[in-house]
Amino acid sequence: MSWTDERIETLKTMWEGGQTASQIADALGGVSRNAVIGKAHRLGLQARPSPVKSHDAATATATATATSEPAPTPVEPVVVAPPPPPAPTPAPAPEPVAVEEDAEEQDEPAPAPERVAAPQPVLRSVGPGGFVRQSPGEQQPPATPAPPRRLVPAKPSPEMAGKTSLLDLNDRICKWPLGHPGEPDFHFCGEKVNPGFPYCVEHCGHAYQAQMPRRDRRPPPPLPFGGPRVR
DNA sequence: CCCTGATTCGC
DNA sequence: GCGAATCAGG
């Protein structure tokens, strides 16, 4: 298997969406999770909570040098760290998007300085790919979940006529994917969104459900990015 | 044991 | 560039 554009796209989308390497690996099929991780790194995607990465010093010194001098006692032994700054910075910065030449819409650019403090209960949502997403109030602002990248050529085929293509996506239409990318009739729902959400009311119903049962292994719902093609 | 991601290194 | 082997924490 080789890393085609489409597979790389899927990898990025899933990786940034918080999927584990294993999940991505067998969603793609034909690659090991190691391959996925390797590729992700080569792509510069990274920066994800890893269980293994702390290499802070302090591990070495500990090993008892029988003779005193347990610690040089750096200045300020017990001073508690200063109060944490507010800065509610969402960690993953999905890299600045380059493609966005769209003429300014006639409405406000929506700097949205004030975040609507949505009293979201601890509610996880499961996206169209069957993967867990953050609740809108929790972290991800009501923005496009998938990279606003150009996946598909403009409107190559007549089949696309009347369909909502990637290019038609904007902040107020439902981005629920229908079909698989690459397939001739792949398009998006296109309904008017449920304000504050990336999907229309109906699809929000699908997207946002309490994640109740055990975190079982991948359910088989259709992936939005052309999941495990037949192997 | 299982899982996870990170790194290395021969190809 | 690729990914198996290996490492290492949870």
Side-chain angles (χ1 to χ4, degrees):
Chain A
M1 272 286 176
S2 60
W3 286 105
T4 63
D5 276 9
E6 196 182 317
R7 289 164 65 80
I8 291 177
E9 252 323 301
T10 303
L11 163 56
K12 283 180 168 178
T13 303
M14 292 182 78
W15 184 271
E16 284 165 14
Q19 306 295 289
T20 67
S22 306
Q23 287 176 312
I24 300 173
D26 65 47
L28 285 169
V31 287
S32 66
R33 92 187 166 85
N34 285 310
V36 168
I37 292 174
K39 184 60 181 176
H41 284 192
R42 270 173 253 123
L43 284 172
L45 307 171
Q46 174 207 321
R48 283 228 277 157
S50 156
V52 176
K53 70 153 189 268
S54 66
H55 250 354
D56 278 40
T59 23
T61 32
T63 34
T65 331
T67 48
S68 56
E69 235 133 356
T73 312
V75 215
E76 323 271 312
V78 198
V79 174
V80 180
T89 306
E95 95 189 29
V97 175
V99 192
E100 197 72 295
E101 83 288 29
D102 274 355
E104 298 306 321
E105 311 273 280
Q106 67 285 34
D107 61 320
E108 72 288 81
E114 55 141 323
R115 207 94 286 165
V116 179
Q120 286 289 334
V122 184
L123 180 152
R124 248 23 195 303
S125 59
V126 51
F131 50 83
V132 179
R133 302 216 93 109
Q134 247 89 34
S135 297
E138 184 166 83
Q139 186 181 77
Q140 215 105 72
T144 313
R149 244 205 171 54
R150 196 146 284 177
L151 299 173
V152 179
K155 287 181 179 160
S157 50
E159 287 91 310
M160 289 306 284
K163 303 288 179 56
T164 302
S165 81
L166 226 198
L167 298 179
D168 301 321
L169 293 180
N170 64 44
D171 287 338
R172 52 204 97 83
I173 72 165
C174 178
K175 301 173 183 61
W176 191 269
L178 299 172
H180 288 181
E183 287 172 9
D185 65 331
F186 173 68
H187 62 288
F188 295 89
C189 166
E191 260 297 325
K192 198 191 60 164
V193 296
N194 187 4
F197 295 86
Y199 308 119
C200 67
V201 178
E202 180 194 334
H203 286 133
C204 274
H206 287 271
Y208 303 107
Q209 296 172 25
Q211 185 104 122
M212 40 161 88
R214 276 235 149 284
R215 41 210 259 100
D216 25 21
R217 297 282 32 150
R218 285 166 294 298
L223 292 166
F225 18 64
R229 269 13 201 288
V230 189
R231 285 164 210 161

